[in-house]
Structure formats: structure tokens, C-alpha cells
Amino acid sequence: MNIPSRRIHIACALALAWVASPASAAEVAIVNPSFEQDSFAGEFTVTNAVGGWRALGEGGQRGLLAPDAPGTQTFYSGATPGFDGKNIEFHWNGQSGIEQVLTERLQANTRYTLTVASGTRNGGGGKFGSYDIRLTTETGKPVVSWSGASRNLAASGTFADSSRSFETGPDPAGLGERLRIQLRGSSLADTYADLDNVRLTATAVAARPASTPIDVFIVSGQSNSHGWGANSAQLSQANRHYADAPDPRALLGYRQHLLGDALASVGSMAQLDTQGSGFKENFDGFGPELSLGSDYAVGGDKPVAIIKYSVSLAGLAHNFVKTGAIGAPLYPTLIQQIQAMLAELRSQGYAPTLRAMFWLQGESDVVFGTAASYGVNLGRFIADVRADVNAPQLQFYATQINPNMPAFADPAMRTGMQQVNAGMVQAATADPQRVFYVRTDDISAGFADGTHYSADQTIDIGRRWAARYLSGQ
């Protein structure tokens, strides 16, 4: 098998500081993992039956493709580069899926790594839509999940591996249930997802000491917090290590790309990593949490978990305030995400302590005309979060809207931007021991676009957060 080694989302299989060297990974049995069990004539077949797999929703076409069979549609040319065998499984023109319940049962203190190869067709084969890959228990308890949208990782005419790892801890939800793998395509018309060579490994790891302490940070806000303009492929060499090898002592539980998009990019509290799809015109994106987590784990010399809930276009007054939201209310989901990830940390054997919340938001309040009330709304928001997550001493880091971004050259936008930033200063002045204002105005050029940070600038924001917290201010 000749799959390119370029990395996507590969959660490091490194032992945490308190875990002994891991045992060798054991392959988990999957029936027909490379779709070679079924034979067919010609280059492809549309079918509801794939050996060993059960069909899910059939909104579109789904079946098997033989990339090297003679035919009119040469999606993958050459001597099967990047394939395992002759067949691949495809989804086309609407959401469809397959699943397999394994004989393997969810075990405690085990690292599971699920890997699937995904392909990019040559021209003429339609547009890549997305895939949705999940490892759950047979009753639906999430173990590992991720999705890929907009652009595939593999170069044209090739396949590349996509992987994610998850460590269960002593008492995972669904303990003892059989594991289930689900593979789905996009719901978009005239798009494809080509998948092959499904692999799952299970590695026993040493049990953590009972109630291992772990610090917890919350990262929230809108598109720059999400990382809309941060493409990991554009990182400088100096910052590549954040994407290639995040510190293994840092975990991430991430939810929500966009308003109306309920997909969880990680789906569980797992190894800190880049988050893949849902970002501006790139596959493997990230937010400031990537450098925040790694820098804190190194500087603080302790494990850290980051709970992230960031929604592009979201406004404080429109969406995030607890009461009186003008638009779709996001506050309940934010609190649910925090509580769910804290519960999952406890099930993994940790004793979590909420330490700080890092906030990168405000541009939408400029656009929506609610900038003048930003300081009052932010003060209420901070108080509500502290009360609802039972963390009265939770520190809060409000990050300045960068006045050098091109969009704020417009006088009307500039006035609102100044009001939002003044509101952040107001909140920090009212609570100087627990609320801090993080300036960004020394970043003056090189933005991804009019309102978004580049990949290296996003790393810079996370590093500022870690440095401010570690310095105690």
C-alpha cells in the first residue's frame, strides 16, 4: 500500500507523562476492511450490499469502484497508487453510509486509533463533498469521530490516511459494549467521498492514578477563535511543531463549526490536534487552542484539557448572552459543552479544575450594531458563566479586536471596533484580579483577509494566552 505520509489530524500515540511506555498496538478485526470481498464486472457498481457492512441512509448513491478497471471514468490513474487491493467504497450525490458492529468491545484504559484512507479524484469525477467517520459503541456512545469537508487531504489521483486516537480511561461511557464503525458521505448533490482500507488498533495503557489532576481552559468566541483563516499547511517552519506534534499532555474537546452545523469535529475529549474541516477553503484548520495547550503543558509542566465552543459569525448580544439574545441562543449549548466535557474527563480518570476562559470575539457586535453595550454584556456574560459552571474564581481573558485588520479602515466599522475594545477594558477594570485584556494591536500586517488571522498569527494569539496565564496576569 502506498499512501502519502502527509498528516491530517493524527492524534499522537505518545504516552502521557504519568503513563508507562505503551504496549504494541493490536489490530482489531474488521470484516472486509478494504472492500475486496465483493467482485463485480466493470469499473463500478451501485449497491446496497457490501460484504460485512450494513447500509445506512440511502439519500444518494453508494457502492464499489475499481479504480484500475478499463472504463471511461479514470478517477485514479496508474498502478493503484494509494489503494489497498482493487476496490474502494464510494458515496455520490447525497448522504449515504455504511456501518459495521465489531466483535471488539470497548475496554477501559485503552487507546483506540481509527484510520481510513480517503481519495481525491482526477478531473471529471465530480467535486469532493465530505465524509463523516465515527467509532461508537453499538448503542451510539461516542468514542472517536471526525469529518472532512470542502477539500480532501490527498493530492489529485491519490489517497491519504486520516486518523484519530482516543484514550478511554478507567470508566468510559459504553464500557463493555461492542464497537461500531460508521462511514458516511456528504448530503450535497453531485459530490463524492471515496474511502478505503479501514483500520482500528487497540493499545492497552497503564491506568492513571485515581483522580489525576488536570487543569481546564475554555476557549470560545467567533470565527477567529474557531480559526477560520488558519490553514495548517501555511504554518511557518518555526510553528510547524504545533500541528505536527502537539504536546501529548494537552487534550481537546471541540464542538461546532458554524451556526446550524451540529457536527462535532472531535466528538470526544481526545488528544489536542488540528481540527480538519469546516474552515475557510482548507481542510486542516485550527484555532489558538493549538499553541495555548502545548505551551501551557510545557510551561506549566502538567496536563491540560481545553474545552472549545466557537461559532463563526456569532455575536455577544445576538447569541452568547444568557438572557435576551437577539438571535439564535448559543449560551445553553456553551454551558452544556463545558459540563459534558468535564464529565467525560472524570470518566477518563481525571479530576478537572476549571482555571480560565479565553475569549476571542466581537467583530459581529460591530457589524450588528451592538458594540456600544459590549462592556455591560460582557460583564453579565462572565458572571453568568462563572455561576453556571460553578467556578467563581474563573479567570477571563478578553482579546482585543485587532484595529489593524483591513475591515476596520472603514470609519463606520472603526467606531464599533473601538467601542467593543473599550467594553473589554471596562470589564477588565471592573474585575482586575480575574479579568484581563489581551492586546493584539502590535500585529499589523499579514492577515488572512479583512477580519481573520493567518495560521501563524493564530498560533501567536494562543501563545499570548498561555504566556499571560503562566505569568499570573
Side-chain angles (χ1 to χ4, degrees):
M1 182 167 178
N2 179 27
I3 289 184
S5 60
R6 185 180 171 192
R7 175 184 176 280
I8 165 182
H9 266 343
I10 300 179
C12 300
L14 300 175
L16 301 184
W18 56 88
V19 176
S21 297
S24 59
E27 293 284 342
V28 174
I30 300 172
V31 177
N32 196 19
S34 295
F35 313 110
E36 301 303 309
Q37 182 174 308
D38 303 291
S39 62
F40 54 95
E43 57 184 332
F44 72 91
T45 177
V46 177
T47 177
N48 289 326
V50 176
W53 299 83
R54 187 182 74 85
L56 295 173
E58 297 295 337
Q61 293 182 342
R62 183 192 56 70
L64 298 172
L65 178 70
D68 287 332
T72 59
Q73 302 182 92
T74 308
F75 299 151
Y76 299 95
S77 58
T80 61
F83 297 97
D84 184 65
K86 295 182 178 180
N87 298 343
I88 64 174
E89 196 254 347
F90 74 87
H91 303 265
W92 168 256
N93 198 29
Q95 186 168 25
S96 61
I98 58 175
E99 70 173 12
Q100 182 176 149
V101 177
L102 311 178
T103 57
E104 177 80 7
R105 295 182 182 273
L106 182 66
Q107 303 174 55
N109 300 314
T110 302
R111 180 183 300 112
Y112 290 101
T113 300
L114 179 63
T115 304
V116 181
S118 174
T120 301
R121 297 180 181 181
N122 290 319
K127 182 179 179 181
F128 176 78
S130 71
Y131 54 70
D132 181 348
I133 299 171
R134 304 187 184 199
L135 176 65
T136 71
T137 69
E138 57 190 320
T139 62
K141 304 292 192 306
V143 180
V144 173
S145 66
W146 72 100
S147 62
S150 303
R151 182 171 72 82
N152 202 11
L153 177 72
S156 180
T158 69
F159 268 56
D161 275 345
S162 178
S163 300
R164 187 167 299 281
S165 295
F166 174 74
E167 205 166 287
T168 58
D171 188 27
L175 179 64
E177 293 183 15
R178 295 169 66 187
L179 293 173
R180 176 177 63 179
I181 296 173
Q182 295 181 321
L183 309 175
R184 289 185 175 87
S186 172
S187 60
L188 299 175
D190 299 324
T191 64
Y192 73 87
D194 292 340
L195 304 174
D196 196 18
N197 201 14
V198 183
R199 287 145 285 161
L200 177 64
T201 62
T203 307
V205 296
R208 299 186 189 96
S211 299
T212 299
I214 189 168
D215 290 342
V216 181
F217 295 149
I218 303 164
V219 170
S220 191
Q222 59 179 106
S223 55
N224 277 314
S225 173
H226 166 63
W228 186 245
N231 184 347
S232 65
Q234 297 172 353
L235 283 170
S236 65
Q237 190 60 40
N239 286 328
R240 277 239 52 93
H241 67 282
Y242 286 108
D244 289 342
D247 194 286
R249 293 168 294 183
L251 306 179
L252 173 66
Y254 176 48
R255 181 175 181 179
Q256 194 90 11
H257 296 311
L258 303 166
L259 282 168
D261 179 3
L263 282 176
S265 185
V266 171
S268 52
M269 182 60 72
Q271 170 75 46
L272 174 68
D273 207 342
T274 53
Q275 287 123 51
S277 64
F279 295 75
K280 182 184 179 182
E281 297 177 353
N282 67 84
F283 188 91
D284 205 15
F286 62 92
E289 73 288 334
L290 192 62
S291 48
L292 167 66
S294 282
D295 279 14
Y296 180 74
V298 172
D301 193 29
K302 63 177 67 174
V304 61
I306 296 174
I307 300 171
K308 181 175 177 181
Y309 180 72
S310 300
V311 182
S312 295
L313 303 177
L316 178 59
H318 265 247
N319 308 107
F320 271 112
V321 292
K322 181 176 181 178
T323 57
I326 300 169
L330 300 180
Y331 184 86
T333 308
L334 167 66
I335 299 303
Q336 290 166 9
Q337 167 71 352
I338 295 169
Q339 293 171 338
M341 291 299 99
L342 289 174
E344 187 163 327
L345 284 168
R346 295 184 186 101
S347 77
Q348 294 178 20
Y350 293 105
T353 301
L354 279 169
R355 297 293 188 187
M357 183 169 184
F358 296 89
W359 182 248
L360 186 53
Q361 190 279 333
E363 294 87 351
S364 287
D365 288 81
V366 175
V367 175
F368 295 155
T370 55
S373 58
Y374 197 88
V376 172
N377 287 333
L378 187 61
R380 288 170 46 212
F381 174 73
I382 295 170
D384 287 336
V385 170
R386 285 174 175 160
D388 289 335
V389 300
N390 193 29
Q393 298 305 314
L394 184 74
Q395 296 183 22
F396 192 94
Y397 291 79
T399 309
Q400 179 188 33
I401 295 180
N402 193 305
N404 302 312
M405 285 185 169
F408 300 118
D410 181 337
M413 291 280 285
R414 193 162 192 84
T415 298
M417 173 271 297
Q418 292 169 339
Q419 290 175 322
V420 168
N421 286 338
M424 294 184 190
V425 173
Q426 175 185 332
T429 302
D431 190 0
Q433 301 303 312
R434 297 180 299 173
V435 179
F436 307 96
Y437 182 54
V438 181
R439 297 190 64 160
T440 63
D441 51 5
D442 58 317
I443 303 173
S444 59
F447 302 105
D449 56 33
T451 57
H452 295 111
Y453 289 111
S454 69
D456 281 328
Q457 290 168 343
T458 300
I459 291 291
D460 188 345
I461 298 298
R463 297 196 66 183
R464 290 172 191 234
W465 287 350
R468 286 292 297 271
Y469 184 86
L470 288 167
S471 70
Q473 60 177 3

